Amino acid sequence: MHIWVDADACPAVIKDILFRVADRTQINVTLVANQLIRVPGSRFIRALQVPAGADAADAEIVERVSAGDIVVTGDIPLAAQVLEKGGLPLNPRGEWYTKDTIAQQLTMRAFMEELRGAGVETGGPAAFNQGDRQNFANALDRELARRRQVRP
């Protein structure tokens, strides 16, 4: 199993959680971004810089993800592609994208883009807070614990 991170927009506190998880569990974590990302010295953590361009990081993640890998992203279209490949997308607020919910999320995203394109002020997501951080840590810990129980 590998944890891939859509790192350009990932909050620093989530990256810190992932760095601790990588060392504690010895699971490889790779941050993929258009910019240079500093990561702590660890054999389980690395950064992968991709060329600038729309969705370059997303395309790299989709190319590399395998069934069962976790992908941390707030990007709904990327999450849909990860699901198609058998990966498990988790957003930084601790919510898992699933095959049962992704179509509705894609539809809502398209609707909101249409409203913004028509000049309607839709606002943005609520500010990232301590509760979101805790939800993320708990969701990731539960999944990793489940996998340890399943392992022969």
Side-chain angles (χ1 to χ4, degrees):
M1 180 187 68
H2 199 108
I3 299 175
W4 298 95
V5 184
D6 183 8
D8 285 319
C10 187
V13 294
I14 297 304
K15 292 174 194 169
D16 290 341
I17 290 169
L18 292 165
F19 297 155
R20 288 192 300 275
V21 165
D23 284 329
R24 186 182 80 232
T25 62
Q26 300 183 351
I27 294 172
N28 291 314
V29 172
T30 301
L31 287 81
V32 182
N34 298 108
Q35 59 196 3
L36 183 62
I37 302 273
R38 291 181 187 254
V39 296
S42 168
R43 66 185 185 134
F44 303 107
I45 303 167
R46 70 184 196 112
L48 177 61
Q49 186 176 4
V50 297
D55 301 325
D58 297 359
E60 190 70 27
I61 291 170
V62 170
E63 181 179 317
R64 292 173 179 254
V65 72
S66 296
D69 286 353
I70 293 172
V71 176
V72 178
T73 185
D75 185 302
I76 297 168
L78 172 57
Q81 291 177 297
V82 168
L83 284 168
E84 287 175 14
K85 290 196 70 176
L88 301 171
L90 173 63
N91 79 26
R93 295 180 188 266
E95 300 160 349
W96 293 98
Y97 298 97
T98 68
K99 290 181 180 182
D100 294 334
T101 62
I102 197 70
Q104 178 184 2
Q105 290 168 313
L106 285 166
T107 300
M108 180 58 78
R109 179 182 178 275
F111 175 68
M112 296 303 280
E113 280 184 3
E114 191 174 310
L115 286 177
R116 285 188 292 273
V120 175
E121 186 65 36
T122 61
F128 194 82
N129 62 42
Q130 181 65 26
D132 296 324
R133 179 190 174 283
Q134 191 62 49
N135 288 340
F136 177 84
N138 290 342
L140 184 59
D141 282 344
R142 279 191 303 272
E143 177 61 22
L144 296 176
R146 184 191 69 77
R147 288 175 185 227
R148 281 191 300 270
Q149 291 174 350
V150 171
R151 220 185 258 176

PDB file of all heavy atoms in Angstrom, residues 91-121:
ATOM      1  N   ASN A  91     -10.442  13.002   1.485  1.00  0.00           N
ATOM      2  CA  ASN A  91     -10.179  14.433   1.420  1.00  0.00           C
ATOM      3  C   ASN A  91      -9.566  14.913   2.732  1.00  0.00           C
ATOM      4  O   ASN A  91      -9.646  14.229   3.746  1.00  0.00           O
ATOM      5  CB  ASN A  91     -11.412  15.229   0.956  1.00  0.00           C
ATOM      6  CG  ASN A  91     -12.448  15.452   2.030  1.00  0.00           C
ATOM      7  OD1 ASN A  91     -12.170  15.466   3.221  1.00  0.00           O
ATOM      8  ND2 ASN A  91     -13.679  15.648   1.601  1.00  0.00           N
ATOM      9  N   PRO A  92      -8.907  16.078   2.714  1.00  0.00           N
ATOM     10  CA  PRO A  92      -8.213  16.550   3.916  1.00  0.00           C
ATOM     11  C   PRO A  92      -9.119  16.831   5.109  1.00  0.00           C
ATOM     12  O   PRO A  92      -8.633  17.016   6.216  1.00  0.00           O
ATOM     13  CB  PRO A  92      -7.520  17.845   3.442  1.00  0.00           C
ATOM     14  CG  PRO A  92      -7.346  17.660   1.980  1.00  0.00           C
ATOM     15  CD  PRO A  92      -8.569  16.886   1.538  1.00  0.00           C
ATOM     16  N   ARG A  93     -10.413  16.824   4.899  1.00  0.00           N
ATOM     17  CA  ARG A  93     -11.346  17.010   6.022  1.00  0.00           C
ATOM     18  C   ARG A  93     -11.797  15.676   6.620  1.00  0.00           C
ATOM     19  O   ARG A  93     -12.642  15.628   7.499  1.00  0.00           O
ATOM     20  CB  ARG A  93     -12.552  17.828   5.577  1.00  0.00           C
ATOM     21  CG  ARG A  93     -12.166  19.256   5.192  1.00  0.00           C
ATOM     22  CD  ARG A  93     -13.361  20.066   4.750  1.00  0.00           C
ATOM     23  NE  ARG A  93     -12.967  21.342   4.215  1.00  0.00           N
ATOM     24  CZ  ARG A  93     -12.902  22.482   4.909  1.00  0.00           C
ATOM     25  NH1 ARG A  93     -13.209  22.487   6.184  1.00  0.00           N
ATOM     26  NH2 ARG A  93     -12.532  23.603   4.319  1.00  0.00           N
ATOM     27  N   GLY A  94     -11.221  14.580   6.102  1.00  0.00           N
ATOM     28  CA  GLY A  94     -11.487  13.271   6.687  1.00  0.00           C
ATOM     29  C   GLY A  94     -12.689  12.544   6.114  1.00  0.00           C
ATOM     30  O   GLY A  94     -13.189  11.606   6.717  1.00  0.00           O
ATOM     31  N   GLU A  95     -13.139  12.936   4.934  1.00  0.00           N
ATOM     32  CA  GLU A  95     -14.288  12.279   4.298  1.00  0.00           C
ATOM     33  C   GLU A  95     -13.790  11.421   3.146  1.00  0.00           C
ATOM     34  O   GLU A  95     -13.050  11.890   2.279  1.00  0.00           O
ATOM     35  CB  GLU A  95     -15.272  13.337   3.778  1.00  0.00           C
ATOM     36  CG  GLU A  95     -15.812  14.219   4.882  1.00  0.00           C
ATOM     37  CD  GLU A  95     -16.378  15.535   4.368  1.00  0.00           C
ATOM     38  OE1 GLU A  95     -16.180  15.870   3.177  1.00  0.00           O
ATOM     39  OE2 GLU A  95     -17.000  16.240   5.174  1.00  0.00           O
ATOM     40  N   TRP A  96     -14.203  10.155   3.138  1.00  0.00           N
ATOM     41  CA  TRP A  96     -13.832   9.241   2.054  1.00  0.00           C
ATOM     42  C   TRP A  96     -14.767   9.474   0.878  1.00  0.00           C
ATOM     43  O   TRP A  96     -15.984   9.580   1.055  1.00  0.00           O
ATOM     44  CB  TRP A  96     -13.955   7.783   2.508  1.00  0.00           C
ATOM     45  CG  TRP A  96     -12.959   7.411   3.547  1.00  0.00           C
ATOM     46  CD1 TRP A  96     -13.168   7.361   4.894  1.00  0.00           C
ATOM     47  CD2 TRP A  96     -11.585   7.052   3.336  1.00  0.00           C
ATOM     48  NE1 TRP A  96     -12.004   6.993   5.523  1.00  0.00           N
ATOM     49  CE2 TRP A  96     -11.019   6.789   4.608  1.00  0.00           C
ATOM     50  CE3 TRP A  96     -10.779   6.922   2.203  1.00  0.00           C
ATOM     51  CZ2 TRP A  96      -9.681   6.406   4.762  1.00  0.00           C
ATOM     52  CZ3 TRP A  96      -9.464   6.547   2.357  1.00  0.00           C
ATOM     53  CH2 TRP A  96      -8.923   6.293   3.619  1.00  0.00           C
ATOM     54  N   TYR A  97     -14.209   9.551  -0.304  1.00  0.00           N
ATOM     55  CA  TYR A  97     -15.017   9.541  -1.521  1.00  0.00           C
ATOM     56  C   TYR A  97     -15.336   8.075  -1.802  1.00  0.00           C
ATOM     57  O   TYR A  97     -14.479   7.209  -1.640  1.00  0.00           O
ATOM     58  CB  TYR A  97     -14.231  10.111  -2.705  1.00  0.00           C
ATOM     59  CG  TYR A  97     -13.813  11.553  -2.549  1.00  0.00           C
ATOM     60  CD1 TYR A  97     -12.541  11.875  -2.104  1.00  0.00           C
ATOM     61  CD2 TYR A  97     -14.677  12.591  -2.882  1.00  0.00           C
ATOM     62  CE1 TYR A  97     -12.134  13.207  -1.988  1.00  0.00           C
ATOM     63  CE2 TYR A  97     -14.280  13.915  -2.776  1.00  0.00           C
ATOM     64  CZ  TYR A  97     -13.007  14.217  -2.321  1.00  0.00           C
ATOM     65  OH  TYR A  97     -12.613  15.522  -2.222  1.00  0.00           O
ATOM     66  N   THR A  98     -16.562   7.796  -2.212  1.00  0.00           N
ATOM     67  CA  THR A  98     -16.942   6.414  -2.490  1.00  0.00           C
ATOM     68  C   THR A  98     -17.639   6.320  -3.845  1.00  0.00           C
ATOM     69  O   THR A  98     -18.105   7.334  -4.386  1.00  0.00           O
ATOM     70  CB  THR A  98     -17.906   5.860  -1.421  1.00  0.00           C
ATOM     71  OG1 THR A  98     -19.168   6.543  -1.533  1.00  0.00           O
ATOM     72  CG2 THR A  98     -17.355   6.029  -0.010  1.00  0.00           C
ATOM     73  N   LYS A  99     -17.728   5.105  -4.359  1.00  0.00           N
ATOM     74  CA  LYS A  99     -18.431   4.895  -5.624  1.00  0.00           C
ATOM     75  C   LYS A  99     -19.904   5.277  -5.497  1.00  0.00           C
ATOM     76  O   LYS A  99     -20.530   5.662  -6.477  1.00  0.00           O
ATOM     77  CB  LYS A  99     -18.284   3.443  -6.068  1.00  0.00           C
ATOM     78  CG  LYS A  99     -16.871   3.120  -6.508  1.00  0.00           C
ATOM     79  CD  LYS A  99     -16.718   1.699  -6.966  1.00  0.00           C
ATOM     80  CE  LYS A  99     -15.276   1.467  -7.397  1.00  0.00           C
ATOM     81  NZ  LYS A  99     -15.023   0.158  -7.898  1.00  0.00           N
ATOM     82  N   ASP A 100     -20.450   5.186  -4.278  1.00  0.00           N
ATOM     83  CA  ASP A 100     -21.854   5.526  -4.065  1.00  0.00           C
ATOM     84  C   ASP A 100     -22.110   7.031  -4.064  1.00  0.00           C
ATOM     85  O   ASP A 100     -23.222   7.462  -4.340  1.00  0.00           O
ATOM     86  CB  ASP A 100     -22.345   4.944  -2.730  1.00  0.00           C
ATOM     87  CG  ASP A 100     -22.374   3.430  -2.725  1.00  0.00           C
ATOM     88  OD1 ASP A 100     -22.495   2.826  -3.816  1.00  0.00           O
ATOM     89  OD2 ASP A 100     -22.272   2.846  -1.635  1.00  0.00           O
ATOM     90  N   THR A 101     -21.089   7.836  -3.750  1.00  0.00           N
ATOM     91  CA  THR A 101     -21.308   9.277  -3.608  1.00  0.00           C
ATOM     92  C   THR A 101     -20.622  10.119  -4.674  1.00  0.00           C
ATOM     93  O   THR A 101     -20.962  11.291  -4.822  1.00  0.00           O
ATOM     94  CB  THR A 101     -20.814   9.767  -2.230  1.00  0.00           C
ATOM     95  OG1 THR A 101     -19.399   9.526  -2.120  1.00  0.00           O
ATOM     96  CG2 THR A 101     -21.554   9.067  -1.103  1.00  0.00           C
ATOM     97  N   ILE A 102     -19.685   9.559  -5.418  1.00  0.00           N
ATOM     98  CA  ILE A 102     -18.862  10.384  -6.306  1.00  0.00           C
ATOM     99  C   ILE A 102     -19.670  11.017  -7.444  1.00  0.00           C
ATOM    100  O   ILE A 102     -19.421  12.178  -7.800  1.00  0.00           O
ATOM    101  CB  ILE A 102     -17.646   9.590  -6.852  1.00  0.00           C
ATOM    102  CG1 ILE A 102     -16.593  10.553  -7.418  1.00  0.00           C
ATOM    103  CG2 ILE A 102     -18.064   8.567  -7.883  1.00  0.00           C
ATOM    104  CD1 ILE A 102     -15.888  11.374  -6.390  1.00  0.00           C
ATOM    105  N   ALA A 103     -20.650  10.336  -7.991  1.00  0.00           N
ATOM    106  CA  ALA A 103     -21.439  10.921  -9.086  1.00  0.00           C
ATOM    107  C   ALA A 103     -22.173  12.172  -8.603  1.00  0.00           C
ATOM    108  O   ALA A 103     -22.181  13.200  -9.292  1.00  0.00           O
ATOM    109  CB  ALA A 103     -22.427   9.898  -9.643  1.00  0.00           C
ATOM    110  N   GLN A 104     -22.752  12.105  -7.427  1.00  0.00           N
ATOM    111  CA  GLN A 104     -23.451  13.264  -6.869  1.00  0.00           C
ATOM    112  C   GLN A 104     -22.470  14.407  -6.604  1.00  0.00           C
ATOM    113  O   GLN A 104     -22.771  15.570  -6.892  1.00  0.00           O
ATOM    114  CB  GLN A 104     -24.174  12.884  -5.584  1.00  0.00           C
ATOM    115  CG  GLN A 104     -24.877  14.047  -4.927  1.00  0.00           C
ATOM    116  CD  GLN A 104     -25.503  13.681  -3.593  1.00  0.00           C
ATOM    117  OE1 GLN A 104     -25.385  12.570  -3.127  1.00  0.00           O
ATOM    118  NE2 GLN A 104     -26.169  14.642  -2.982  1.00  0.00           N
ATOM    119  N   GLN A 105     -21.294  14.090  -6.103  1.00  0.00           N
ATOM    120  CA  GLN A 105     -20.299  15.124  -5.833  1.00  0.00           C
ATOM    121  C   GLN A 105     -19.819  15.784  -7.134  1.00  0.00           C
ATOM    122  O   GLN A 105     -19.632  17.005  -7.177  1.00  0.00           O
ATOM    123  CB  GLN A 105     -19.128  14.528  -5.053  1.00  0.00           C
ATOM    124  CG  GLN A 105     -19.528  14.168  -3.627  1.00  0.00           C
ATOM    125  CD  GLN A 105     -18.486  13.307  -2.930  1.00  0.00           C
ATOM    126  OE1 GLN A 105     -18.005  12.328  -3.488  1.00  0.00           O
ATOM    127  NE2 GLN A 105     -18.151  13.683  -1.716  1.00  0.00           N
ATOM    128  N   LEU A 106     -19.634  14.991  -8.182  1.00  0.00           N
ATOM    129  CA  LEU A 106     -19.243  15.550  -9.481  1.00  0.00           C
ATOM    130  C   LEU A 106     -20.340  16.461 -10.042  1.00  0.00           C
ATOM    131  O   LEU A 106     -20.064  17.527 -10.592  1.00  0.00           O
ATOM    132  CB  LEU A 106     -18.920  14.434 -10.472  1.00  0.00           C
ATOM    133  CG  LEU A 106     -17.590  13.715 -10.269  1.00  0.00           C
ATOM    134  CD1 LEU A 106     -17.553  12.429 -11.088  1.00  0.00           C
ATOM    135  CD2 LEU A 106     -16.416  14.626 -10.612  1.00  0.00           C
ATOM    136  N   THR A 107     -21.589  16.034  -9.898  1.00  0.00           N
ATOM    137  CA  THR A 107     -22.716  16.832 -10.375  1.00  0.00           C
ATOM    138  C   THR A 107     -22.800  18.158  -9.625  1.00  0.00           C
ATOM    139  O   THR A 107     -22.987  19.218 -10.237  1.00  0.00           O
ATOM    140  CB  THR A 107     -24.037  16.046 -10.234  1.00  0.00           C
ATOM    141  OG1 THR A 107     -23.945  14.850 -11.005  1.00  0.00           O
ATOM    142  CG2 THR A 107     -25.233  16.869 -10.675  1.00  0.00           C
ATOM    143  N   MET A 108     -22.641  18.115  -8.307  1.00  0.00           N
ATOM    144  CA  MET A 108     -22.699  19.332  -7.503  1.00  0.00           C
ATOM    145  C   MET A 108     -21.539  20.267  -7.859  1.00  0.00           C
ATOM    146  O   MET A 108     -21.721  21.481  -7.970  1.00  0.00           O
ATOM    147  CB  MET A 108     -22.668  19.004  -6.014  1.00  0.00           C
ATOM    148  CG  MET A 108     -22.737  20.237  -5.133  1.00  0.00           C
ATOM    149  SD  MET A 108     -24.200  21.271  -5.411  1.00  0.00           S
ATOM    150  CE  MET A 108     -25.418  20.339  -4.536  1.00  0.00           C
ATOM    151  N   ARG A 109     -20.372  19.715  -8.082  1.00  0.00           N
ATOM    152  CA  ARG A 109     -19.210  20.515  -8.478  1.00  0.00           C
ATOM    153  C   ARG A 109     -19.487  21.226  -9.805  1.00  0.00           C
ATOM    154  O   ARG A 109     -19.234  22.423  -9.951  1.00  0.00           O
ATOM    155  CB  ARG A 109     -17.978  19.622  -8.593  1.00  0.00           C
ATOM    156  CG  ARG A 109     -16.731  20.358  -9.032  1.00  0.00           C
ATOM    157  CD  ARG A 109     -15.566  19.367  -9.177  1.00  0.00           C
ATOM    158  NE  ARG A 109     -14.374  20.026  -9.649  1.00  0.00           N
ATOM    159  CZ  ARG A 109     -14.082  20.268 -10.917  1.00  0.00           C
ATOM    160  NH1 ARG A 109     -14.922  19.903 -11.876  1.00  0.00           N
ATOM    161  NH2 ARG A 109     -12.968  20.884 -11.263  1.00  0.00           N
ATOM    162  N   ALA A 110     -20.025  20.499 -10.774  1.00  0.00           N
ATOM    163  CA  ALA A 110     -20.342  21.089 -12.085  1.00  0.00           C
ATOM    164  C   ALA A 110     -21.399  22.181 -11.951  1.00  0.00           C
ATOM    165  O   ALA A 110     -21.302  23.245 -12.583  1.00  0.00           O
ATOM    166  CB  ALA A 110     -20.804  20.004 -13.050  1.00  0.00           C
ATOM    167  N   PHE A 111     -22.394  21.948 -11.113  1.00  0.00           N
ATOM    168  CA  PHE A 111     -23.454  22.932 -10.892  1.00  0.00           C
ATOM    169  C   PHE A 111     -22.883  24.207 -10.288  1.00  0.00           C
ATOM    170  O   PHE A 111     -23.202  25.321 -10.735  1.00  0.00           O
ATOM    171  CB  PHE A 111     -24.538  22.335  -9.988  1.00  0.00           C
ATOM    172  CG  PHE A 111     -25.615  23.303  -9.611  1.00  0.00           C
ATOM    173  CD1 PHE A 111     -26.503  23.788 -10.554  1.00  0.00           C
ATOM    174  CD2 PHE A 111     -25.742  23.739  -8.292  1.00  0.00           C
ATOM    175  CE1 PHE A 111     -27.507  24.686 -10.205  1.00  0.00           C
ATOM    176  CE2 PHE A 111     -26.728  24.640  -7.947  1.00  0.00           C
ATOM    177  CZ  PHE A 111     -27.611  25.112  -8.891  1.00  0.00           C
ATOM    178  N   MET A 112     -22.007  24.068  -9.295  1.00  0.00           N
ATOM    179  CA  MET A 112     -21.407  25.236  -8.653  1.00  0.00           C
ATOM    180  C   MET A 112     -20.515  25.999  -9.636  1.00  0.00           C
ATOM    181  O   MET A 112     -20.511  27.228  -9.640  1.00  0.00           O
ATOM    182  CB  MET A 112     -20.617  24.823  -7.409  1.00  0.00           C
ATOM    183  CG  MET A 112     -21.489  24.214  -6.310  1.00  0.00           C
ATOM    184  SD  MET A 112     -22.829  25.296  -5.776  1.00  0.00           S
ATOM    185  CE  MET A 112     -21.922  26.365  -4.683  1.00  0.00           C
ATOM    186  N   GLU A 113     -19.795  25.283 -10.489  1.00  0.00           N
ATOM    187  CA  GLU A 113     -18.980  25.948 -11.517  1.00  0.00           C
ATOM    188  C   GLU A 113     -19.862  26.726 -12.487  1.00  0.00           C
ATOM    189  O   GLU A 113     -19.516  27.832 -12.914  1.00  0.00           O
ATOM    190  CB  GLU A 113     -18.145  24.923 -12.287  1.00  0.00           C
ATOM    191  CG  GLU A 113     -16.897  24.501 -11.569  1.00  0.00           C
ATOM    192  CD  GLU A 113     -16.027  23.548 -12.397  1.00  0.00           C
ATOM    193  OE1 GLU A 113     -16.367  23.264 -13.567  1.00  0.00           O
ATOM    194  OE2 GLU A 113     -15.014  23.101 -11.855  1.00  0.00           O
ATOM    195  N   GLU A 114     -21.001  26.140 -12.823  1.00  0.00           N
ATOM    196  CA  GLU A 114     -21.935  26.812 -13.724  1.00  0.00           C
ATOM    197  C   GLU A 114     -22.467  28.099 -13.086  1.00  0.00           C
ATOM    198  O   GLU A 114     -22.561  29.137 -13.738  1.00  0.00           O
ATOM    199  CB  GLU A 114     -23.094  25.863 -14.055  1.00  0.00           C
ATOM    200  CG  GLU A 114     -23.977  26.326 -15.170  1.00  0.00           C
ATOM    201  CD  GLU A 114     -25.014  25.283 -15.538  1.00  0.00           C
ATOM    202  OE1 GLU A 114     -24.646  24.109 -15.747  1.00  0.00           O
ATOM    203  OE2 GLU A 114     -26.194  25.658 -15.602  1.00  0.00           O
ATOM    204  N   LEU A 115     -22.799  28.024 -11.814  1.00  0.00           N
ATOM    205  CA  LEU A 115     -23.271  29.227 -11.110  1.00  0.00           C
ATOM    206  C   LEU A 115     -22.196  30.303 -11.085  1.00  0.00           C
ATOM    207  O   LEU A 115     -22.465  31.476 -11.363  1.00  0.00           O
ATOM    208  CB  LEU A 115     -23.683  28.881  -9.673  1.00  0.00           C
ATOM    209  CG  LEU A 115     -24.980  28.124  -9.485  1.00  0.00           C
ATOM    210  CD1 LEU A 115     -25.196  27.800  -8.014  1.00  0.00           C
ATOM    211  CD2 LEU A 115     -26.157  28.931 -10.027  1.00  0.00           C
ATOM    212  N   ARG A 116     -20.958  29.905 -10.757  1.00  0.00           N
ATOM    213  CA  ARG A 116     -19.868  30.876 -10.718  1.00  0.00           C
ATOM    214  C   ARG A 116     -19.631  31.473 -12.104  1.00  0.00           C
ATOM    215  O   ARG A 116     -19.367  32.670 -12.231  1.00  0.00           O
ATOM    216  CB  ARG A 116     -18.593  30.228 -10.178  1.00  0.00           C
ATOM    217  CG  ARG A 116     -18.633  30.009  -8.671  1.00  0.00           C
ATOM    218  CD  ARG A 116     -17.289  29.553  -8.131  1.00  0.00           C
ATOM    219  NE  ARG A 116     -16.918  28.213  -8.575  1.00  0.00           N
ATOM    220  CZ  ARG A 116     -17.269  27.087  -7.971  1.00  0.00           C
ATOM    221  NH1 ARG A 116     -18.008  27.122  -6.881  1.00  0.00           N
ATOM    222  NH2 ARG A 116     -16.879  25.928  -8.437  1.00  0.00           N
ATOM    223  N   GLY A 117     -19.742  30.642 -13.140  1.00  0.00           N
ATOM    224  CA  GLY A 117     -19.585  31.118 -14.513  1.00  0.00           C
ATOM    225  C   GLY A 117     -20.649  32.132 -14.900  1.00  0.00           C
ATOM    226  O   GLY A 117     -20.427  32.993 -15.746  1.00  0.00           O
ATOM    227  N   ALA A 118     -21.816  32.038 -14.262  1.00  0.00           N
ATOM    228  CA  ALA A 118     -22.911  32.973 -14.530  1.00  0.00           C
ATOM    229  C   ALA A 118     -22.818  34.213 -13.637  1.00  0.00           C
ATOM    230  O   ALA A 118     -23.702  35.065 -13.665  1.00  0.00           O
ATOM    231  CB  ALA A 118     -24.246  32.277 -14.311  1.00  0.00           C
ATOM    232  N   GLY A 119     -21.761  34.283 -12.827  1.00  0.00           N
ATOM    233  CA  GLY A 119     -21.568  35.455 -11.978  1.00  0.00           C
ATOM    234  C   GLY A 119     -22.183  35.365 -10.600  1.00  0.00           C
ATOM    235  O   GLY A 119     -22.180  36.339  -9.856  1.00  0.00           O
ATOM    236  N   VAL A 120     -22.728  34.214 -10.245  1.00  0.00           N
ATOM    237  CA  VAL A 120     -23.318  34.061  -8.923  1.00  0.00           C
ATOM    238  C   VAL A 120     -22.197  33.841  -7.907  1.00  0.00           C
ATOM    239  O   VAL A 120     -21.303  33.011  -8.109  1.00  0.00           O
ATOM    240  CB  VAL A 120     -24.300  32.856  -8.891  1.00  0.00           C
ATOM    241  CG1 VAL A 120     -24.817  32.614  -7.482  1.00  0.00           C
ATOM    242  CG2 VAL A 120     -25.427  33.077  -9.873  1.00  0.00           C
ATOM    243  N   GLU A 121     -22.236  34.602  -6.817  1.00  0.00           N
ATOM    244  CA  GLU A 121     -21.248  34.466  -5.750  1.00  0.00           C
ATOM    245  C   GLU A 121     -21.646  33.266  -4.887  1.00  0.00           C
ATOM    246  O   GLU A 121     -22.664  33.293  -4.206  1.00  0.00           O
ATOM    247  CB  GLU A 121     -21.207  35.745  -4.903  1.00  0.00           C
ATOM    248  CG  GLU A 121     -20.120  35.776  -3.868  1.00  0.00           C
ATOM    249  CD  GLU A 121     -18.716  35.794  -4.477  1.00  0.00           C
ATOM    250  OE1 GLU A 121     -18.535  36.425  -5.528  1.00  0.00           O
ATOM    251  OE2 GLU A 121     -17.823  35.172  -3.890  1.00  0.00           O
TER     252      GLU A 121
END
